[in-house]
Amino acid sequence: MTPFTAYCACEAHGPLVPKLFERRALRPDDVSIAIAYCGVCHSDAHQVHNDWNNAVYPCVPGHEIVGHVTAVGPEVTRYKVGDRVAVGCLVDSCQQCEPCSQGQEQHCQQGPTPTYNGRDRVTGETTYGGYCDHIVVREKFVLRVPDALELESASPLLCAGITVWTPMREHGVGRGSKVAVVGLGGLGHLGVKLAVALGAEVTVITTSAAKADDARSLGAHRVLLSTDQKAMMAAANGFDFILDTIPTRHNVNPYLMLLGRRGALVVVGAIDLLEPVHGGLLIRNNRTLAGSLIGGLAATQELLDFCAEHEVLPRCELIDIRDINTAFARMQANDVKYRFVIDMATLQHVQATP
Ligand code: NAP
Ligand code: ZN
């Protein structure tokens, strides 16, 4: 066992505080990783605050992890000490079921093991995420960070990026697709960049008029204010694919209305009840209302390689880990441009208690 310092929540309404934990000794197929950066996802705040009623305390969040390999078990073949690697939302799955064999580990029929707030498949111990300086992960669940991607800005690809990439690939977003991204936050800003890189014509639908210039600088062709009913009506039937990243319960009907024939609205943000959906809006234009959950390992590697090739980089605000509670508060006040990323070197200034 190796001791380490991590920022954790001890209860739903308390702050994140530094504490000492222990990581398991390496199993034969494990990789040990020194974490250089970890992104701050809105899901981290949902988990810490127990919004989904499944939190386990103490909870060490963080599933946008990048760093370097520091040690490998004897059966590891793909990585060596010093390699640039990443870990996303999953650290294990059964590897036997149909979804696992099709590279959709996030849908493992036995339930995948999340990077934090999960149970290790061997020992049953709680899994602890990336708000700390190192992590031990089964080789299969470790990804390679291409040299062309700066580690500092790559981490948000591991959750925000793959969450928007999966439905865009599944729904065939490409050259000429008319795409709208609802909510310009961590997920949304990558939705814009990736859809543009895939050749789509992209509109940002936002509640924040002040984000219009940013939306354009991220590559969006148009910006729609969701509170501007006239503009929303004028945009009716205009989109093939809408990605909805709103993080709370909301009304999808105003967005469904914007879909053209056989268009799809994919909800990725609200892991929550939605307001009642109007059947007439679904029936007209044969619209689809769908959802999507992160993505599998092969797709995540594909995304990392695509971003390296097309120079798609998240827009990050680097923070000291001691400012994590302020970052959470700002994220919930919709004040993020566009992903907080913890610089893990700042952990050296922190004194933790057991
Ligand atoms: P974020 O950075 O906080 O961005 C969310 C954006 O949604 C905000 O920037 C804001 O954009 C808009 N928004 C916020 N509150 C709103 C409201 N009440 N009504 C309308 N729009 C609102 O969050 P994120 O990290 O992108 O995560 C978004 C959600 O996705 C979270 O709930 C997270 O748990 C979930 N998530 C799901 C998956 C999955 O697998 N499906 C994976 C990761 C995260 P504007 O200012 O432009 O309106
Ligand atoms: Zn996330």
Side-chain angles (χ1 to χ4, degrees):
M1 302 288 266
T2 318
F4 68 100
T5 300
Y7 268 70
C8 69
C10 299
E11 48 167 333
H13 301 293
L16 293 170
V17 291
K19 284 209 172 293
L20 284 173
F21 291 83
E22 286 190 326
R23 291 279 185 212
R24 66 171 183 258
L26 287 193
R27 296 178 193 139
D29 61 346
D30 271 345
V31 175
S32 182
I33 299 163
I35 302 174
Y37 302 98
C38 183
V40 179
C41 180
H42 206 121
S43 298
D44 298 345
H46 282 308
Q47 281 285 6
V48 160
H49 300 139
N50 201 18
D51 290 345
W52 302 326
N53 293 316
N54 63 352
V56 181
Y57 299 103
C59 169
V60 179
H63 55 207
E64 293 184 339
I65 296 165
V66 293
H68 295 94
V69 174
T70 53
V72 294
E75 288 172 13
V76 169
T77 57
R78 289 190 300 133
Y79 299 106
K80 60 179 189 321
V81 172
D83 282 354
R84 290 151 44 95
V85 291
V87 178
C89 301
L90 305 175
V91 286
D92 209 352
S93 73
C94 82
Q95 297 291 295
Q96 308 287 332
C97 69
E98 195 175 304
C100 280
S101 65
Q102 293 172 350
Q104 302 217 329
E105 297 85 355
Q106 76 275 31
H107 297 304
C108 172
Q109 283 168 358
Q110 291 182 22
T113 308
T115 304
Y116 65 87
N117 244 345
R119 297 226 160 270
D120 181 81
R121 295 184 111 74
V122 178
T123 62
E125 289 165 325
T126 302
T127 56
Y128 296 126
Y131 288 13
C132 63
D133 62 5
H134 89 280
I135 190 165
V136 173
V137 180
R138 187 178 174 187
E139 174 184 26
K140 166 87 193 178
F141 287 76
V142 177
L143 297 145
R144 186 172 298 283
V145 180
D147 288 340
L149 284 183
E150 278 177 14
L151 273 193
E152 176 173 326
S153 44
S155 62
L157 298 173
L158 277 304
C159 173
I162 187 61
T163 300
V164 301
W165 179 251
T166 306
M168 287 199 282
R169 300 297 278 169
E170 192 160 321
H171 291 266
V173 168
R175 197 151 299 283
S177 306
K178 292 187 171 55
V179 168
V181 175
V182 185
L184 195 63
L187 269 58
H189 94 287
L190 283 172
V192 173
K193 284 195 157 210
L194 288 166
V196 169
L198 287 168
E201 192 183 301
V202 181
T203 298
V204 165
I205 305 181
T206 178
T207 58
S208 310
K211 290 183 184 172
D213 287 345
D214 280 354
R216 289 193 185 88
S217 74
L218 290 162
H221 305 95
R222 285 176 61 210
V223 179
L224 251 179
L225 208 55
S226 54
T227 47
D228 180 344
Q229 286 188 7
K230 245 173 113 178
M232 290 287 280
M233 290 298 283
N237 307 314
F239 296 100
D240 305 312
F241 176 85
I242 301 179
L243 184 77
D244 176 353
T245 76
I246 296 173
T248 50
R249 177 178 182 143
H250 62 282
N251 180 6
V252 293
N253 295 304
Y255 307 111
L256 274 178
M257 191 188 74
L258 305 182
L259 290 171
R261 201 163 58 86
R262 302 180 70 196
L265 170 71
V266 179
V267 173
V268 290
I271 306 173
D272 207 332
L273 285 176
L274 296 170
E275 302 294 341
V277 175
H278 196 297
L281 285 175
L282 280 178
I283 289 167
R284 191 174 313 138
N285 280 346
N286 283 18
R287 293 165 171 137
T288 297
L289 174 61
S292 188
L293 175 67
I294 47 173
L297 294 167
T300 310
Q301 189 62 60
E302 177 195 59
L303 168 69
L304 290 168
D305 296 344
F306 179 91
C307 289
E309 191 185 333
H310 296 265
E311 296 180 18
V312 175
L313 277 184
R315 202 176 275 187
C316 303
E317 182 176 337
L318 217 56
I319 61 164
D320 186 311
I321 196 160
R322 290 169 294 181
D323 296 329
I324 187 63
N325 291 300
T326 309
F328 266 42
R330 281 184 53 196
M331 183 164 64
Q332 292 192 287
N334 196 5
D335 176 24
V336 190
K337 289 188 170 178
Y338 279 88
R339 197 60 146 190
F340 290 120
V341 171
I342 303 166
D343 177 356
M344 220 48 80
T346 59
L347 195 60
Q348 67 185 332
H349 307 298
V350 174
Q351 284 291 332
T353 51

